Amino acid sequence: LLFGRRGLIVVACLGWLLFLPVLFHLGPETFLTTWANSLVQAQFFAVGALLAIGLHGVAWKLSNGLRITMLLGGLLALASAAWFLQHHPVGFSTFAPVYALMQLGCALLLVGIYQTQMKLFQWAPVVWMGKISYGLYVLHVLVLESALKITTYFLHGRSAAPYHFLTMDVAALLATIALASASYR
């Protein structure tokens, strides 16, 4: 409000630049410890602010084909970030590209759905997921960690890795949706 649109752009760019030295300083922390750092999160607020500035008052007429390409590209970037994180050692050299991929993925997803008239985004289950999205965000780590503990318990301390996606992740997703729905209500 004090500096107008240009000031917001400068603040957003500074916020984005701030996360890199903080990420470097945190060094070999775990991903969740790094993820929970507010200064590291400044990158996403900065990207969101820049997107909001760029999209504000603009009527985008993107073809459905381009939107689908952006959505698939966004999902691919997020999946690549997850894969990269799981297959590389903890630290700045892993976190920096992972966060870059997450920023790209989120930006592509947001721009891909911005002002869309695609029927998919008007479908009741998708609209519902949008309504409970904050609950999904808040509860997903709790549910994933709980699912890991429960799965490990039932496997009597053995690694849950072979069952990770098929059991734990699917069950955690369904439980997160149920809890977020209950929380929303």
Side-chain angles (χ1 to χ4, degrees), residues 55 60 62 66-68 70-71 106-118 120-121 126:
L55 297 174
W60 283 46
L62 303 176
L66 180 57
R67 287 182 186 278
I68 290 170
M70 293 174 90
L71 294 173
C106 290
L108 285 171
L109 289 172
L110 286 170
V111 173
I113 64 170
Y114 181 69
Q115 293 183 342
T116 185
Q117 299 300 317
M118 292 171 64
L120 172 66
F121 296 105
V126 174

Side-chain angles (χ1 to χ4, degrees), residues 81-124:
W83 180 89
F84 197 86
L85 184 62
Q86 290 180 347
H87 292 89
H88 290 82
V90 172
F92 181 76
S93 62
T94 297
F95 292 161
V98 164
Y99 280 114
L101 285 166
M102 288 192 297
Q103 290 171 36
L104 175 64
C106 290
L108 285 171
L109 289 172
L110 286 170
V111 173
I113 64 170
Y114 181 69
Q115 293 183 342
T116 185
Q117 299 300 317
M118 292 171 64
K119 297 274 189 226
L120 172 66
F121 296 105
Q122 297 167 7
W123 186 39

Side-chain angles (χ1 to χ4, degrees), residues 14-97:
L14 289 174
W16 186 86
L17 290 172
L18 180 64
F19 98 93
L20 285 170
V22 171
L23 191 61
F24 183 77
H25 173 72
L26 289 173
E29 293 288 332
T30 66
F31 182 74
L32 286 178
T33 302
T34 305
W35 183 257
N37 185 291
S38 296
L39 296 175
V40 172
Q41 289 300 316
Q43 65 182 311
F44 294 109
F45 290 105
V47 170
L50 293 171
L51 280 173
I53 291 166
L55 297 174
H56 182 72
V58 176
W60 283 46
K61 301 215 187 251
L62 303 176
S63 70
N64 284 347
L66 180 57
R67 287 182 186 278
I68 290 170
T69 301
M70 293 174 90
L71 294 173
L72 292 175
L75 292 173
L76 179 62
L78 294 175
S80 298
W83 180 89
F84 197 86
L85 184 62
Q86 290 180 347
H87 292 89
H88 290 82
V90 172
F92 181 76
S93 62
T94 297
F95 292 161

